[in-house]
Amino acid sequence: MKHPLGALHRAILLALPAFTQPVAALAQNAAEGALEASAAELPAVTITADKVARPLEKVPASVAVVDGQDAEQSGITAMDQLEGRVPGLSFQPFGQAGLNSPVMRGLTANFNSYSTSTLLLVDGVPTLTAQGFEHGMQDLDRIEVLRGPQSTLYGRNAEAGVIAVHSLPMDGEPRGSVAVEAGSRDKRALLFAFSRPLVEDRLYASIAGNWTGQDGFIRNTYTGRKEDDRERRDLRLGLRWTPGAATDVVLRYARSKYDDGATLWGAPAAARAQVASGTPSWNRSWGQTLSLKVQHALDSGLKLHSITAWNDFRDRIQQDTDFQPMDMLHVGRNNHLRTLSQELRLEGQQGASDWLVGLYGDRSDNDLQVASKTMMGLSDIRASQKGSTAALFTNWNMPLAGNWSLSAGARLEHIAVELLPLDAARQKKHWTNFSPRLALQYQFMPRHRWYASASRGVRTGGFNVLSPAMNYPAYGPEKVWSYETGVKGALMDRRMRYALVAYVMDIGDMQVMQMPTPGMMYITSAASATSKGAELDVDYLLGRGWQLRGGVAWNRTRFDRFVDGAADYQGRRNPFAPELTGHIGIRYQAPQGWYAQASLRGSGKVYLDAANRYQRNGYGLLDLVAGYRHGHWDITAHVSNAADRRYDAVGYQNGFVTVYSPPREVAVRLTWRM
């Protein structure tokens, strides 16, 4: 069966010569492929994918890195804007700010499971739910996206990968910026970030935040207003204390608050972006995080790390779902999600090898309320859900004979989940998981490496909180065995960096959300599936101010076995998993201080249900950036989705909802820097 891939596919095919021609020229004649002698090489990239700082090319895993300055100049201010810009990463189309369910390598989790398949780490602090899976990208150093199972080092929410957000360090170099932005639909934004030493070589502080407001684009014909206005406030505070050369203590606090109108929903049969809702729809969610990170170097050469974190998120929404003046159908949530986590880690070296061993534990306490009006009447589901995790993990990196090296690790994790419904008896489940990882790496040329790895990923089980009629049944953990191989390195005197990876994953006890009728939802873990794919990342410094960046990820995830009642879904695609994601872009940086960038990002189509009846079409979005920096001032203009492409998710919630895609947006930002 043929699947049209649209503008993204055509752009990638057109771009292939740009990737392959320099490599072929190098093989035929090195001189013919040489660039101008005046061109600089690409800067080195250091990441902490295995919790130890290491050059990107030496990490035996598929990793994409988004630089903080590039993110700022591209106008990235939300997590879902990484879709397409990071090949292999996408998000379920949902339309509510502050709630993101990531999709990686064909795997995802429904937000009603209060879990994720891809872990979000912000300065080492984990976010374990789709609620609060967000970051405003203020004071950003870089984003590392680890593709493939990372449960060995990161546990039950890293089954498909990890998104690690790193803030700029607090150090002896003072910095500061203030920016104002204006754009489409009366967008207004104020952004700021400051960091400076308070006591020389001892105490440092940082503060960053933003306020953003924007009118909606969904017209309510009943009230005459726009239904989906947005307002968001973010604040991030940091304090760093270095009492001595051996000790580093960092205290961070972050808070986000949303004051929005409706989710980006409408009726599939209605005119696009038009509702007639008489029931108010709103999002009043907020979240906060407090963390303490301590690092201490012992006299023996060992290093001790401790990360203590408190996550607190309030998911408060009301959403009309009949989109008519009369209140026939609506849904409301008032969930309070709290998690306390602690990690202790010891690192050391033994000869040329490095190792770490650690302990991790967390406790969650969630108060859940889902009040809705459906065709079956009023419903008010209330429950308390508690959970705990205890884990022991280790990882070793060892050189072998010649240019061979080995990375090996394992994690033993015990998880307990307890549900206390208001109208039923208490239930409790617990599971013990073992997640090993083994990676072999070979440096076959000075700047080129090959690796092969095998790893196990796990996503925890839970209870069907939205199924009181079924007595809140439990579902088991989802388990993945992943087999991966890849090559990565540098060409053209380090002016071109590349990574090419292929993988196969065997998925058992797969968790899939089913919605047979409106108001009835449940998660089943009766499916098995196979996921296979490939990922390519390229960064090419052309010279004379020009730079080409691109990447593409192909994934094929199919149910091997999935029977749910009378329905047999064998051979169907896993919901929300695109077969193709990627981007290609070119940038010019002029010596006079101005710059321009054009990029195309996108995704193949995704199905919205296990039967593959409803879908969101594939899309390719053209983004344009132009700016000028002079002295302390920087002015930048952004155009997102310049062609105003529409890629609505038609048939969400078993055919009853369309999730609208955002229209074209134009914005101008003026920034002052210290």
Side-chain angles (χ1 to χ4, degrees):
M1 179 178 179
K2 293 183 178 180
H3 297 275
L5 300 176
L8 176 66
H9 191 189
R10 292 193 294 272
I12 290 171
L13 291 177
L14 290 172
L16 282 176
F19 292 139
T20 58
Q21 184 177 355
V23 180
L26 182 66
Q28 293 175 7
N29 189 325
E32 292 179 7
L35 300 174
E36 297 87 348
S38 60
E41 65 182 34
L42 286 168
V45 177
T46 300
I47 61 173
T48 55
D50 57 2
K51 296 183 182 285
V52 177
R54 214 178 300 279
L56 174 64
E57 63 273 11
K58 292 186 178 181
V59 177
S62 179
V63 185
V65 180
V66 178
D67 179 75
Q69 182 177 346
D70 292 341
E72 178 185 342
Q73 292 184 345
S74 299
I76 299 175
T77 58
M79 188 65 61
D80 62 356
Q81 290 177 279
L82 296 178
E83 180 166 327
R85 288 183 170 97
V86 177
L89 172 66
S90 58
F91 294 89
Q92 292 186 24
F94 191 74
Q96 177 188 326
L99 191 156
N100 288 299
S101 294
V103 185
M104 186 90 76
R105 291 191 172 180
L107 298 179
T108 188
N110 189 275
F111 75 93
N112 289 308
S113 68
Y114 304 102
S115 180
T116 59
S117 61
T118 298
L119 178 66
L120 174 63
L121 287 172
V122 179
D123 296 315
V125 176
T127 295
L128 304 178
T129 62
Q131 296 84 351
F133 199 103
E134 185 58 279
H135 192 276
M137 310 300 174
Q138 309 98 347
D139 211 27
L140 180 66
D141 180 48
R142 71 189 186 279
I143 303 171
E144 301 174 12
V145 181
L146 287 65
R147 295 172 292 215
Q150 306 295 327
S151 293
T152 300
L153 283 173
Y154 296 102
R156 58 187 170 91
N157 286 74
E159 172 202 29
V162 171
I163 303 172
V165 179
H166 297 269
S167 300
L168 285 167
M170 291 177 280
D171 52 28
E173 293 294 328
R175 65 177 184 275
S177 66
V178 178
V180 292
E181 184 173 314
S184 304
R185 307 197 312 275
D186 196 26
K187 182 178 183 180
R188 301 88 62 204
L190 172 66
L191 308 93
F192 61 89
F194 293 92
S195 178
R196 63 176 298 111
L198 301 179
V199 178
E200 187 176 357
D201 297 328
R202 282 290 183 270
L203 192 63
Y204 314 85
S206 69
I207 180 171
N210 74 54
W211 171 86
T212 303
Q214 188 173 29
D215 294 346
F217 65 91
I218 300 175
R219 179 168 168 261
N220 190 336
T221 60
Y222 181 71
T223 63
R225 299 190 300 265
K226 298 295 185 181
E227 190 68 11
D228 56 316
D229 293 351
R230 293 286 185 264
E231 184 176 339
R232 176 177 174 179
R233 297 179 180 90
D234 290 292
L235 179 65
R236 310 188 70 84
L237 304 173
L239 194 65
R240 180 185 176 208
W241 178 43
T242 54
T247 305
D248 196 325
V249 181
V250 177
L251 179 68
R252 293 187 185 273
Y253 174 77
R255 182 178 178 89
S256 297
K257 186 176 182 181
Y258 306 90
D259 189 3
D260 300 343
T263 302
L264 306 184
W265 286 11
R272 186 181 188 274
Q274 185 171 296
V275 298
S277 295
T279 304
S281 297
W282 43 263
N283 174 15
R284 304 288 185 267
S285 300
W286 58 263
Q288 58 184 352
T289 301
L290 180 66
S291 66
L292 178 66
K293 184 175 182 179
V294 180
Q295 302 179 70
H296 182 70
L298 304 175
D299 294 338
S300 60
L302 301 179
K303 295 181 180 179
L304 181 65
H305 297 256
S306 171
I307 302 177
T308 308
W310 169 253
N311 264 320
D312 184 8
F313 192 83
R314 196 71 177 256
D315 178 31
R316 297 180 62 240
I317 70 105
Q318 179 172 286
Q319 176 62 46
D320 183 25
T321 54
D322 58 61
F323 312 109
Q324 297 298 319
M326 292 184 62
D327 183 12
M328 297 181 290
L329 304 170
H330 72 257
V331 64
R333 297 192 306 272
N334 187 7
N335 298 328
H336 196 180
L337 314 174
R338 291 151 293 187
T339 302
L340 176 66
S341 62
Q342 173 67 57
E343 179 179 308
L344 291 171
R345 188 170 80 247
L346 189 66
E347 299 175 2
Q349 289 189 321
Q350 186 172 346
S353 302
D354 62 75
W355 57 268
L356 64 84
V357 61
L359 296 170
Y360 172 83
D362 67 42
R363 294 188 65 86
S364 61
D365 186 3
N366 302 332
D367 295 325
L368 310 176
Q369 181 183 9
V370 179
S372 59
K373 186 175 184 180
T374 70
M375 295 178 180
M376 295 180 287
L378 294 173
S379 173
D380 189 359
I381 301 171
R382 303 190 186 199
S384 175
Q385 180 177 278
K386 301 180 184 297
S388 62
T389 304
L392 170 67
F393 61 91
T394 186
N395 195 71
W396 291 71
N397 291 283
M398 299 163 284
L400 302 176
N403 292 327
W404 293 88
S405 60
L406 181 70
S407 177
R411 186 185 191 95
L412 185 65
E413 189 169 52
H414 181 78
I415 302 164
V417 181
E418 184 179 21
L419 184 69
L420 296 88
L422 188 65
D423 59 349
R426 181 177 67 177
Q427 300 187 60
K428 189 172 184 178
K429 289 283 186 179
H430 58 87
W431 302 275
T432 300
N433 303 310
F434 181 63
S435 302
R437 184 177 187 271
L438 188 68
L440 185 66
Q441 189 169 210
Y442 176 60
Q443 184 176 335
F444 59 90
M445 292 178 66
R447 297 175 184 170
H448 305 272
R449 294 171 182 263
W450 165 86
Y451 75 90
S453 67
S455 58
R456 191 170 191 255
V458 177
R459 182 163 81 240
T460 189
F463 293 95
N464 277 283
V465 179
L466 301 184
S467 302
M470 303 167 66
N471 197 28
Y472 309 98
Y475 53 89
E478 182 174 292
K479 303 164 187 175
V480 175
W481 273 106
S482 177
Y483 309 94
E484 180 176 318
T485 185
V487 290
K488 55 174 62 178
L491 297 166
M492 306 292 187
D493 295 328
R494 299 187 186 275
R495 296 185 183 97
M496 180 178 180
R497 183 185 295 120
Y498 75 93
L500 177 62
V501 174
Y503 61 88
V504 175
M505 301 197 305
D506 182 21
I507 310 160
D509 301 322
M510 194 173 190
Q511 298 172 12
V512 184
M513 171 63 80
Q514 296 285 74
M515 186 178 178
T517 61
M520 182 179 182
M521 299 182 184
Y522 62 89
I523 297 171
T524 174
S525 56
S528 63
T530 299
S531 173
K532 55 186 177 182
E535 296 149 354
L536 171 67
D537 295 289
V538 175
D539 194 349
Y540 188 11
L541 195 61
L542 300 168
R544 298 188 184 275
W546 291 91
Q547 186 171 4
L548 178 72
R549 287 177 176 160
V552 62
W554 171 77
N555 172 268
R556 185 183 188 275
T557 303
R558 297 288 189 275
F559 294 124
D560 297 326
R561 177 186 55 81
F562 185 16
V563 177
D564 187 29
D568 188 346
Y569 303 112
Q570 181 178 354
R572 305 288 186 180
R573 287 170 53 173
N574 192 33
F576 307 112
E579 289 198 337
L580 190 69
T581 56
H583 72 107
I584 184 169
I586 191 164
R587 177 184 176 87
Y588 178 69
Q589 180 78 48
Q592 298 84 359
W594 63 271
Y595 52 90
Q597 177 177 300
S599 60
L600 183 70
R601 58 185 170 92
S603 169
K605 74 176 179 182
V606 299
Y607 288 106
L608 309 176
D609 63 319
N612 294 177
R613 292 170 296 180
Y614 308 107
Q615 69 181 54
R616 183 193 71 183
N617 289 331
Y619 64 87
L621 305 182
L622 177 63
D623 299 326
L624 304 173
V625 178
Y628 177 70
R629 177 172 291 183
H630 180 73
H632 295 288
W633 295 93
D634 190 349
I635 184 169
T636 308
H638 310 269
V639 183
S640 300
N641 188 12
D644 202 20
R645 292 293 303 272
R646 297 177 179 179
Y647 48 102
D648 301 340
V650 182
Y652 190 68
Q653 298 280 329
N654 199 34
F656 283 85
V657 170
T658 290
V659 183
Y660 297 124
S661 59
R664 174 176 51 228
E665 184 172 319
V666 180
V668 177
R669 179 183 294 183
L670 180 65
T671 305
W672 174 85
R673 304 179 195 277
M674 289 177 54

